[in-house]
Amino acid sequence: MFESLQFSIVDMTPYSRPIYFDMIGLYNKAVWPMHVLAMILMFWLLLISIRPGQHRVSSAFWILGAAWLWTGWIFHMQYYSSINWAGVAFGYLFLIQGGLLLALACIPVTPVWNVSKKWPVLAGRLLLILAIVAYPLTGLLEQRTLIQLDMFAMTPTPTLMATLAFLLLLEGRIKYALVVIPLLWAFISASFAWTIQLLEVYAILLVMFVWLMSMVTDIIKFTMSKLQSKKQ
Amino acid sequence: MGNNKSNRRAFLSKIAGISCLAAWPQLSISSPGNNIIAKKIPASGEVIPAIGMGTWISFNVGSNIQARNARTQVLDTFLKLGGGMVDSSPMYGSAEEVMGYALKRLGTPKPSLFAATKVWTPSAEQGKQQLEDSLKFWGVRRFDLYQIHNLLAWEKHLPILLQRKQAGTIRYVGVTTSHGRRHQELEHIIKTQPIDFVQLTYNMIDREAEQRLLPLAKEKAVAVIANRPFQGGDLFSRLADKRLPVWAKDIDCHNWAQFFLKFIVSHPAVTCAIPATSQVEHMIENMGALRGQLPDHKMRMQMLEYINTV
């Protein structure tokens, strides 16, 4: 069993940086004008995060679910798989996450907003702006052409970052069930990005770090409340 | 490549007479106006050019037609300059498909082509399917060399490959590793299994194979393919601002690529080095190592000393 795991990150990145950018360019060209719809969803998600109403949680899950499904089915399975043997498997991972998000959008018991002004909420909002607006533009610093830029709901990294950022805005433990695949993908994606020296590695590491801190905060809070209840 | 047996035979017989003039391990294949450095495959005595071509990353360009056509030019240059072995794997994304595209555009069959690919799956059944897929992708009827990639499930694949060899679907059987991984297991396989080729990482920096594997391969009459001859490009980065030593001209090296490659293929146990490139200019530089003098033992030591001092 261990034998089959004998491949490294390098083995999983059998393409060069220019070829990766070219592939994104070909994909963006082929799926145009889906970007218009993606842009509408993008601003809708931003609006929801700024003016959170309880009925809007489901809307956000619909948007994120659709983004993961599209990215898995079209980007990974149809395009990325042409340069990476693992593309189809990654596609399934995205489909599962998309399915989970859509399932939560459908059921009546949805997570509630974290209404306090605690730092994870502020960090979540800032990261959402980073994911949707700022991060895709960093591609220009990597000499990508406009058509080779990443975009929320179209390519994996901004979709991943927006999802992790959005989950920070929520209260309750359900968000931990939704974060497993994104964190796993964050690790895989950061590894690829590191191998071919993409700037996204820093963006992903930042989101992962914020999530880690948020989890530590939650664990401390949980432990303190347990200790207090024992004393009482 | 197996789809034109008579062409291959004609090519080999054309070169065989002249190649006999030189002593093993270094043979000289001559074509009009060109002397090509070639090596014998110990299992059969067949002679192949000492510089081959890898396809890792360089040929994985997906469906990008512009990039596919550029790689076709690279392959064309390789073959025109006397290259033979082209090595790929199902693990290299679209590389096999792109190779098939390039061969088709160049007009197969290419008599000098020595088609090498690999099986890369933990399942024996999937392995059989992978061979069929590779044949389809390349557009060939058989492979000259079929290898087990990174020793993955080699116990399952090897008996099947040996059967395929007997049946004529493949001419030679081999196993591969890279980055210096699993050398102990590789040693065990060379000692105990009837393989024709072994592929491993060997270059001017990564020389662990010199200790046991290369002498063993020579003793067991197993041909050796050296992958990562430029250490994944790190050798060039290391020497980017350094000039080639003046005495490099004595062994007909005019650039660093030739310096690195001639060091590798001058080892008596090494049959072929497989540098990968996506650029025609680099291919021309690489293929320059197929001509002129090879360093002797004393010169090899001098080359190493130079690299270590800079």
Side-chain angles (χ1 to χ4, degrees), chain B residues 7-306:
Chain B
N7 276 352
R8 170 174 285 282
R9 202 168 284 153
F11 171 77
L12 292 174
S13 62
K14 195 172 97 183
I15 61 175
I18 305 156
S19 64
C20 288
L21 295 173
W24 194 85
Q26 181 195 340
L27 297 170
S28 174
I29 297 178
S30 184
S31 59
N34 282 315
N35 288 318
I36 292 172
I37 297 166
K39 295 283 193 97
K40 259 186 191 174
I41 299 169
S44 65
E46 181 182 346
V47 177
I48 57 167
I51 305 296
M53 185 180 103
T55 55
W56 166 248
I57 294 180
S58 59
F59 268 63
N60 181 18
V61 299
S63 52
N64 185 333
I65 293 296
Q66 226 178 349
R68 282 183 172 214
N69 291 340
R71 300 315 182 268
T72 305
Q73 291 302 311
V74 171
L75 179 68
D76 191 32
T77 308
F78 171 74
L79 293 170
K80 279 180 177 159
L81 293 176
M85 180 185 289
V86 175
D87 177 69
S88 194
S89 169
M91 204 198 82
Y92 301 171
S94 60
E96 288 193 299
E97 221 178 314
V98 174
M99 182 52 62
Y101 173 90
L103 286 170
K104 199 174 172 188
R105 268 185 77 94
L106 293 177
T108 45
K110 294 282 169 198
S112 59
L113 177 69
F114 189 95
T117 194
K118 305 176 190 97
V119 57
W120 183 68
T121 168
S123 144
E125 277 310 305
Q126 279 176 16
K128 289 175 190 168
Q129 186 55 48
Q130 226 166 50
L131 173 58
E132 297 308 317
D133 291 344
S134 294
L135 288 167
K136 197 180 78 189
F137 286 144
W138 284 66
V140 297
R141 283 187 197 151
R142 68 174 181 177
F143 282 106
D144 294 297
L145 170 61
Y146 203 66
Q147 305 152 98
I148 300 164
H149 196 133
N150 280 348
L151 310 184
L152 183 63
W154 68 267
E155 298 95 332
K156 288 182 197 167
H157 295 306
L158 194 55
I160 299 167
L161 297 195
L162 293 170
Q163 275 173 14
R164 292 293 180 109
K165 185 183 164 185
Q166 280 212 319
T169 325
I170 48 186
R171 296 175 60 225
Y172 299 103
V173 168
V175 293
T176 80
T177 182
S178 66
H179 299 76
R181 288 177 289 197
R182 301 174 75 179
H183 275 190
Q184 271 194 329
E185 199 170 352
L186 193 60
E187 190 178 331
H188 167 71
I189 295 170
I190 298 171
K191 278 180 184 163
T192 59
Q193 304 298 322
I195 54 168
D196 306 307
F197 273 83
V198 65
Q199 187 180 138
L200 45 79
T201 294
Y202 179 56
N203 57 54
M204 291 195 80
I205 303 297
D206 302 315
R207 293 170 48 231
E208 192 197 314
E210 282 178 358
Q211 302 303 313
R212 296 172 70 88
L213 292 173
L214 293 181
L216 182 67
K218 196 164 186 303
E219 183 198 321
K220 294 284 180 186
V222 173
V224 175
I225 301 169
N227 61 34
R228 292 176 57 81
F230 305 137
Q231 214 194 19
D234 289 353
L235 271 166
F236 289 115
S237 316
R238 191 169 160 160
L239 296 158
D241 55 341
K242 300 286 184 295
R243 278 176 173 239
L244 208 59
V246 182
W247 44 262
K249 282 182 187 158
D250 298 346
I251 48 166
D252 303 297
C253 288
H254 305 287
N255 51 58
W256 282 117
Q258 292 164 12
F259 191 87
F260 302 143
L261 290 172
K262 283 203 170 183
F263 175 82
I264 295 167
V265 299
S266 61
H267 191 290
V270 173
T271 312
C272 186
I274 47 167
T277 179
S278 56
Q279 293 178 43
V280 168
E281 310 84 72
H282 291 166
M283 178 55 78
I284 293 168
E285 285 187 4
N286 293 347
M287 296 311 281
L290 209 48
R291 287 165 177 82
Q293 293 295 312
L294 273 187
D296 57 14
H297 180 71
K298 197 178 153 196
M299 180 62 91
R300 281 171 58 82
M301 293 302 110
Q302 192 176 338
M303 291 165 92
L304 280 175
E305 202 183 316
Y306 185 78

Side-chain angles (χ1 to χ4, degrees), chain A residues 3-8 10-16 19 22-23 26 79 81-85, chain B residues 56-57 60-64 67 71 91-94 120 122 150-153 155 181-182 185:
Chain A
E3 192 182 50
S4 60
L5 298 173
Q6 290 272 335
F7 52 80
S8 66
V10 175
D11 293 330
M12 289 177 74
T13 321
Y15 49 84
S16 63
I19 290 301
D22 279 349
M23 184 273 301
L26 287 174
Y79 288 86
S81 63
S82 73
I83 59 166
N84 192 329
W85 52 266
Chain B
W56 166 248
I57 294 180
N60 181 18
V61 299
S63 52
N64 185 333
R71 300 315 182 268
M91 204 198 82
Y92 301 171
S94 60
W120 183 68
N150 280 348
L151 310 184
L152 183 63
E155 298 95 332
R181 288 177 289 197
R182 301 174 75 179
E185 199 170 352

